[in-house]
Amino acid sequence: MPEAAGPGLAARLAQIPRAATMQAAERARALRAAGRDIISLTLGEPDFPTPAHVVEAAHAAALRGETKYPPLTGTPALKAAVAAKFRRDSGLAFEDGEILVGHGGRQIIYDALTATLDPGDEIVVPAPYWNAYPLIARMAGAAPVLLACEEADGFRPTPEALDRAITRRTKWVVLNYPNNPTGAVLDRAALLALAEVLRRAPWAWVMSDDIYEHLVHDGTPNPTLAAVAPDLAHRVLTLTGVSKTYAMTGWRVGFAGGPARLVSAMANVQGQSTGGVSPVAQAAAAAALEGTQDQVGVMRAAYAARSARVVAALRAMPGLTCHQPGGAFYAYPGVAGLLGRRTRGGTLVSDDRAFCEALLMEEGVAAVHGGAFGASPYVRISTAAGEAVLGEGLARIGRFVSGFQ
Ligand SMILES: Cc1ncc(COP(=O)(O)O)c(C=O)c1O
């Protein structure tokens, strides 16, 4: 259809670019469809299939007739499984009215921010960050306040920097560990130090995005704020889901536990957007939470091995540095040593965006520039891709960087 002037779009959307991770993935798909040989290391999407017992539970639910409108906040069966999961994994006790099931962790975040943010409010986001938090906050008219986390600190927020970032306008502080994109993890002591600062800002909610909780490379349990500092629990929203842990990105099930007042407001937002999650997907999620956890361990070990391999390979490449991720499935190499130089193909690489563009055009490897996560000059490489894809991707990245003049 020819592009023509027409009815207007919402003014607030002008500030909301399409998420760079999705843009990069779409670009890779389009180039592939056009016949290019593309290795995509863009999305945090497990290459493993959803465990068979989970798929079977969905099938059985559909055959039982669980195909009608679901309850808005989640089916009783899944909410019970979520309550048991929070108790088992995090030592957190939630009543039914304190749990919300949504369409992935993303919708939980959307519900929470939309339910609480007014124009002029601020949300403190440690950077590098998963790009949804600032974009969703902007859609609600609020201002993201970025808290820079240094590579020298393992990309962890320091209590001092958190203290500086919080103002009287702060409505939320976001904590996401293991972190996307850096893989940084926070231990109990680090969380306690941040809790000390958060105690001094009783007007702020805290979002603990634990979506990668089971993907800590060495298998140690991931501590979460509401359990480590129970006195803060009345203003903490703990969110997670099945996408990453159980290779269920397409099922769209996430959930959160938090104070009933907040959860009820979030359900209100969800009721006016999507309504409840498909009961078939909820039955699958319940089976994932309640069934054997054996495959979780197998996948975690595979991601840890891939991470070790990718980090070692990147560190051996001229001009690259690479911090050691503690969890999740990303590597976040620094490209500062290559800026201001030309690629073999003659492109002058001035920043991480130009690096990724040249890598895509010259070697057919799609990755996401660090600027999209609020920290440059870095590149996010997803290690959730399969072994063969990763091997080929690394070979091409190696050839690319060795060609810099
Ligand atoms: C940090 C973080 N939180 C939440 C999500 C949301 O995942 P989903 O909506 O698939 O549950 C993602 C997905 O990439 C993520 O990286």
Side-chain angles (χ1 to χ4, degrees), residues 13-405:
L13 276 184
Q15 302 182 46
I16 321 284
R18 188 79 152 278
T21 39
M22 292 189 183
Q23 273 182 33
E26 279 165 18
R27 185 109 189 277
R29 263 186 231 122
L31 286 170
R32 204 178 274 146
R36 290 275 316 268
D37 168 23
I38 301 292
I39 295 283
S40 182
L41 304 177
T42 52
L43 290 184
E45 173 139 83
D47 67 317
F48 293 99
T50 299
H53 71 277
V54 172
V55 178
E56 279 156 14
H59 186 211
L63 288 176
R64 273 198 310 273
E66 291 182 28
T67 52
K68 309 292 184 190
Y69 283 128
L72 175 59
T73 60
T75 60
L78 179 55
K79 290 178 83 178
V82 169
K85 173 251 167 306
F86 274 126
R87 223 174 297 119
R88 175 186 74 207
D89 297 342
S90 312
L92 295 175
F94 293 113
E95 308 280 330
D96 184 81
E98 296 171 327
I99 292 174
L100 178 65
V101 175
H103 291 78
R106 184 187 284 275
Q107 187 180 25
I108 296 288
I109 297 166
Y110 181 87
D111 290 343
L113 299 187
T114 305
T116 51
L117 290 174
D118 286 313
D121 285 343
E122 294 175 353
I123 155 172
V124 173
V125 183
Y129 49 73
W130 182 47
N131 45 17
Y133 316 114
L135 294 181
I136 295 173
R138 283 215 195 101
M139 281 177 86
V145 172
L146 304 186
L147 188 175
C149 301
E150 304 301 331
E151 185 171 357
D153 296 324
F155 289 118
R156 295 183 198 93
T158 63
E160 297 74 27
L162 176 62
D163 196 41
R164 281 195 301 273
I166 291 175
T167 72
R168 288 303 299 214
R169 288 185 299 278
T170 304
K171 199 62 151 301
W172 280 97
V173 173
V174 175
L175 298 178
N176 164 229
Y177 301 95
N179 176 262
N180 173 5
T182 65
V185 292
L186 291 188
D187 61 15
R188 200 183 145 76
L191 275 175
L192 280 171
L194 297 180
E196 202 45 51
V197 177
L198 294 167
R199 275 188 194 104
R200 297 199 292 271
W203 54 86
W205 298 103
V206 187
M207 180 180 293
S208 182
D209 180 344
D210 296 356
I211 201 103
Y212 296 101
E213 62 185 326
H214 292 295
L215 304 182
V216 178
H217 293 331
D218 67 7
T220 49
N222 183 55
T224 193
L225 182 71
V228 166
D231 60 309
L232 297 180
H234 64 287
R235 53 192 174 95
V236 176
L237 182 73
T238 307
L239 83 90
T240 180
V242 293
S243 292
K244 315 288 180 177
T245 307
Y246 301 98
M248 290 178 68
T249 43
W251 296 80
R252 311 311 303 132
V253 184
F255 30 82
R261 187 168 67 91
L262 174 63
V263 166
S264 161
M266 289 166 59
N268 213 346
V269 173
Q270 188 161 297
Q272 297 312 326
S273 51
T274 57
V277 174
S278 153
V280 171
Q282 294 200 55
L289 295 180
E290 287 177 331
T292 167
Q293 303 294 301
D294 290 355
Q295 271 143 298
V296 176
V298 171
M299 291 189 276
R300 182 188 55 68
Y303 298 135
R306 291 177 195 176
S307 170
R309 172 184 177 200
V310 169
V311 170
L314 292 170
R315 283 181 173 173
M317 292 180 195
L320 296 187
T321 56
C322 195
H323 131 100
Q324 185 68 54
F329 36 50
Y330 308 99
Y332 202 61
V335 298
L338 297 172
L339 300 189
R341 294 168 57 185
R342 283 188 190 278
T343 65
R344 184 178 285 123
T347 306
L348 179 64
V349 170
S350 53
D351 58 15
D352 49 20
R353 185 192 284 271
F355 179 94
C356 287
E357 181 63 24
L359 178 62
L360 180 62
M361 297 322 288
E362 294 184 20
E363 288 291 349
V365 175
V368 188
H369 67 287
F373 307 99
S376 290
Y378 294 92
V379 174
R380 190 190 77 171
I381 291 173
S382 171
T383 54
E387 309 285 340
V389 173
L390 274 179
E392 176 62 18
L394 285 173
R396 293 186 190 191
I397 296 170
R399 196 162 58 213
F400 179 66
V401 299
S402 65
F404 272 67
Q405 287 137 45

